[in-house]
Amino acid sequence: MKIILLGAPGAGKGTQASRIAGKYKLLHISTGDIFRANIKNGTEIGKIAKSYTDSGRLVPDEVTCEIVKDRLSWKDAGQGYMLDGFPRNLFQAQQLDKFADIDICLNIDVDESLLMDRICGRRMCACGESYHVSTLQGSETCAKCGGKLYQRPDDVPETVKTRLSTYKSQTAPLIEYYKSQGKLYSVTSGEGSPDDVFVQICAILDKFLND
Ligand code: ADP
Ligand code: ZN
């Protein structure tokens, strides 16, 4: 099964991706995670990506497409995968169609008014867990592993504004793109709890697998 996860920043793609990966034994490929790892390790790709991720703009397509194309050519991707954060514009989607055969595009739809608060209030742990300040009661450590929580540098209001407008103008048109390919499945109550959203996603994926 080859899946694309689509949704605005703050829609909960990352949270759902780890659940999907666990239940369906799917390889999770997140371009955002790949860029953050490269930035942390000071690689050439990281040097290019930093100014874009810091300001909330898209990393140039040549760089991004090449990374994904390469990653999908590894042996472990042969059994299927879930793309999180790619494609993010029409050009990337068209490129992807040249080197991959996508089964499903899962679109997590969340009311726009919630996104700013969700992202700016988000706190991360190095273990992959994320929290919202409203539920932390002042705690700064991860309930799962005890790690120290931090805020992603691009989770600040100015950058989030740019990310949201980039999503609207460049990424949201992909909903129509995948609809016209007959591959779009929308999760319409993305405002619900992570558990509720996951139930909807499983219903879609189970149906696909059983058909
Ligand atoms: P979110 O979906 O919450 O905005 P991501 O972790 O997916 O966060 O992405 C973080 C940043 O990484 C983006 O703002 C962008 O700069 C860069 N990035 C991630 N995926 C892509 C992509 N497919 N094309 C270009 N840039 C990307
Ligand atoms: Zn943790």
Side-chain angles (χ1 to χ4, degrees):
M1 187 160 56
K2 295 170 181 170
I3 308 179
I4 292 169
L5 270 185
L6 201 62
K13 293 190 298 293
T15 305
Q16 297 302 328
S18 43
R19 293 176 180 224
I20 297 168
K23 175 162 179 187
Y24 295 92
K25 304 279 169 273
L26 269 184
L27 175 67
H28 175 201
I29 302 174
S30 156
T31 42
D33 286 349
I34 293 174
F35 287 132
R36 281 185 287 278
N38 275 278
I39 292 169
K40 194 172 166 205
N41 296 326
T43 68
E44 282 310 310
I45 287 169
K47 283 176 197 154
I48 299 171
K50 188 168 176 10
S51 63
Y52 295 95
T53 59
D54 278 353
S55 62
R57 291 171 300 142
L58 296 186
V59 177
D61 288 336
E62 311 86 78
V63 179
T64 310
C65 291
E66 203 42 53
I67 287 174
V68 175
K69 189 177 176 186
D70 174 68
R71 186 64 189 84
L72 296 188
S73 73
W74 297 14
K75 203 169 171 207
D76 62 353
Q79 303 304 313
Y81 46 78
M82 170 178 39
L83 288 173
D84 166 10
F86 185 93
R88 246 180 164 88
N89 62 26
L90 209 52
F91 180 80
Q92 293 180 4
Q94 287 162 344
Q95 293 305 304
L96 180 64
D97 278 342
K98 293 183 187 167
F99 55 78
D101 204 0
I102 297 301
D103 298 305
I104 288 181
C105 174
L106 267 181
N107 176 43
I108 307 179
D109 195 32
V110 172
D111 194 281
E112 215 187 313
S113 64
L114 298 178
L115 299 174
M116 192 74 181
D117 174 66
R118 273 198 182 184
I119 307 171
C120 295
R122 180 162 68 176
R123 298 294 180 271
M124 320 292 297
C125 175
C127 77
E129 215 27 61
S130 69
Y131 299 87
H132 191 275
V133 281
S134 62
T135 62
L136 281 171
Q137 295 169 314
S139 164
E140 288 173 12
T141 49
C142 175
K144 281 235 169 103
C145 78
K148 185 159 173 47
L149 301 180
Y150 63 92
Q151 186 172 29
R152 246 170 66 176
D154 58 343
D155 281 355
V156 293
E158 269 316 297
T159 309
V160 175
K161 268 187 213 155
T162 309
R163 284 160 62 197
L164 291 174
S165 75
T166 304
Y167 168 79
K168 251 190 163 171
S169 61
Q170 302 199 48
T171 312
L174 296 183
I175 296 172
E176 275 308 313
Y177 182 82
Y178 288 107
K179 195 187 257 176
S180 72
Q181 291 191 353
K183 293 178 179 168
L184 187 78
Y185 295 81
S186 274
V187 176
T188 47
S189 60
E191 298 84 10
S193 72
D195 285 347
D196 292 343
V197 175
F198 190 54
V199 166
Q200 281 194 59
I201 291 177
C202 292
I204 295 167
L205 298 183
D206 289 342
K207 181 161 187 327
F208 173 82
L209 288 170
N210 292 325
D211 273 355

